[in-house]
Amino acid sequence: MLHFCATTIVKDAGCDESIIPHHVFEFVNLDDLQSRCGKDVLTDVIGVITKVGPIEEKRTIGGSVDTLTLHLQDIRGNRVKVTIWDEYVKLFEQKLKENVSKDPQVTVAIFTSTIIKEFRGELSISTSRSTNIYVNIDIPESNELIQSFKDSSDEPIVGNFEVSKDGVCPKTVKTIAELLSMASLKSNTNDVYCCAATVNDILLKNGWNYVCCPHCKKKADRTTTNFSCQHCHKVVEYPMTRLRLELDVKDSTDSTIFVLFHEVAEQLTQLNLGDHATTFENENGDDLNLPPQLLKIIGCSQMMKNHDTSNENEILEELDE
């Protein structure tokens, strides 16, 4: 730590700022952690994330806190468990979200000022109040790890991760061009992919909502006096209106159409149609008749989870421009 006093003089060194590193770490190899176990020292570690558990709530003397456990692997194949505590869980989640648009094949994490512990003969790492977290930053050690895992034939490639209370799993991020290619080949139709795309327009040829049966959620047909459901084979006395959005989306590789149904469309637009069948009834509308909640999503970038290649999607998060 530097201390400046009243007699301190600061002078311009006159050197090129680019030669000054943005980050300085004192990494300890994972196979050398035993020597620091139980000692009053803080440790910087780096590794590829190979597994992440769910966010859990644990009780401490100060109350309940969130924790998250992940596994790191170094370039030598050594692995260690890292436990992230309290506010650092949100910090870790934020770092992963910032990293999602970079579309890495390997996720390298750095944890500074950690504490080395041992329980039942197993070493583990815990965050401290001085810990900082970095994900896939441009430094030689991180780049070496990424390249090593890409070149390895026997090690799995680990992509982006999604944090949730239900667990954390690798997210396979694909471009629109890659999704379209897989769709044309009709391959991997049981997989789930993520795609970062910008909403270019809302297509209105087929409308943006439909009147449906409240039981089966299938489209209800208008009769002379009411509605009927061909699927349930009965009259629908109290039909519902549900969202169905056809979005023209694009990224740097291509463009396509994503179809969002009611719950997902509501999540994206924050528009709740309620249980009224005719309040927003439309067949072939235009932009002038669209609710403002729909207009505001045009031009926004979203991380979308695509279930196989059928263009049935979920919205994961809104991406910063």
Side-chain angles (χ1 to χ4, degrees), residues 203-217:
L203 305 181
L204 301 175
K205 179 180 179 180
N206 297 315
W208 53 271
N209 66 71
Y210 66 100
V211 178
C212 72
C213 170
H215 302 289
C216 66
K217 305 300 188 296

Side-chain angles (χ1 to χ4, degrees), residues 128-295:
S128 71
R129 290 297 179 184
S130 302
T131 292
N132 208 339
I133 302 173
Y134 304 87
V135 175
N136 280 19
I137 61 174
D138 187 13
I139 62 171
E141 295 89 342
S142 178
N143 295 334
E144 182 183 10
L145 265 172
I146 292 174
Q147 193 58 49
S148 174
F149 270 68
K150 285 183 178 180
D151 294 341
S152 174
S153 59
D154 57 349
E155 293 293 347
I157 297 298
V158 182
N160 284 303
F161 288 87
E162 174 188 356
V163 180
S164 73
K165 289 287 185 180
D166 299 323
V168 184
C169 58
K171 294 196 300 187
T172 306
V173 181
K174 299 291 185 181
T175 64
I176 289 178
E178 290 172 326
L179 291 177
L180 292 176
S181 176
M182 290 188 298
S184 65
L185 297 173
K186 301 184 184 301
S187 62
N188 299 322
T189 55
N190 291 322
D191 292 335
V192 177
Y193 300 100
C194 294
C195 180
T198 300
V199 180
N200 193 44
D201 199 3
I202 301 175
L203 305 181
L204 301 175
K205 179 180 179 180
N206 297 315
W208 53 271
N209 66 71
Y210 66 100
V211 178
C212 72
C213 170
H215 302 289
C216 66
K217 305 300 188 296
K218 302 291 185 181
K219 183 178 179 181
D221 298 320
R222 183 185 289 277
T223 65
T224 305
T225 58
N226 47 36
F227 292 87
S228 66
C229 177
Q230 300 297 323
H231 184 265
C232 297
H233 303 289
K234 64 181 181 180
V235 174
V236 179
E237 296 183 359
Y238 301 101
M240 298 173 56
T241 303
R242 291 172 61 85
L243 287 171
R244 181 187 180 278
L245 299 180
E246 294 183 17
L247 302 183
D248 176 20
V249 299
K250 63 179 181 180
D251 64 7
S252 59
T253 65
D254 212 328
S255 62
T256 189
I257 297 173
F258 280 171
V259 179
L260 275 57
F261 286 92
H262 191 64
E263 289 78 8
V264 180
E266 280 194 345
Q267 176 190 346
L268 174 62
T269 63
Q270 301 298 305
L271 175 62
N272 186 0
L273 297 185
D275 297 331
H276 305 288
T278 58
T279 304
F280 295 104
E281 183 181 350
N282 78 310
E283 293 297 330
N284 301 98
D286 54 54
D287 287 353
L288 296 178
N289 296 325
L290 286 178
Q293 295 95 324
L294 299 187
L295 291 174

Side-chain angles (χ1 to χ4, degrees), residues 294-312:
L294 299 187
L295 291 174
K296 72 177 183 180
I297 70 172
I298 298 176
C300 293
S301 297
Q302 306 287 335
M303 178 58 67
M304 301 184 183
K305 181 186 291 185
N306 185 282
H307 292 263
D308 58 56
T309 50
S310 65
N311 277 2
E312 181 181 343

Side-chain angles (χ1 to χ4, degrees), residues 4-19:
F4 294 91
C5 58
T7 58
T8 298
I9 299 176
V10 179
K11 294 183 179 181
D12 187 351
C15 63
D16 185 3
E17 293 183 1
S18 63
I19 67 174

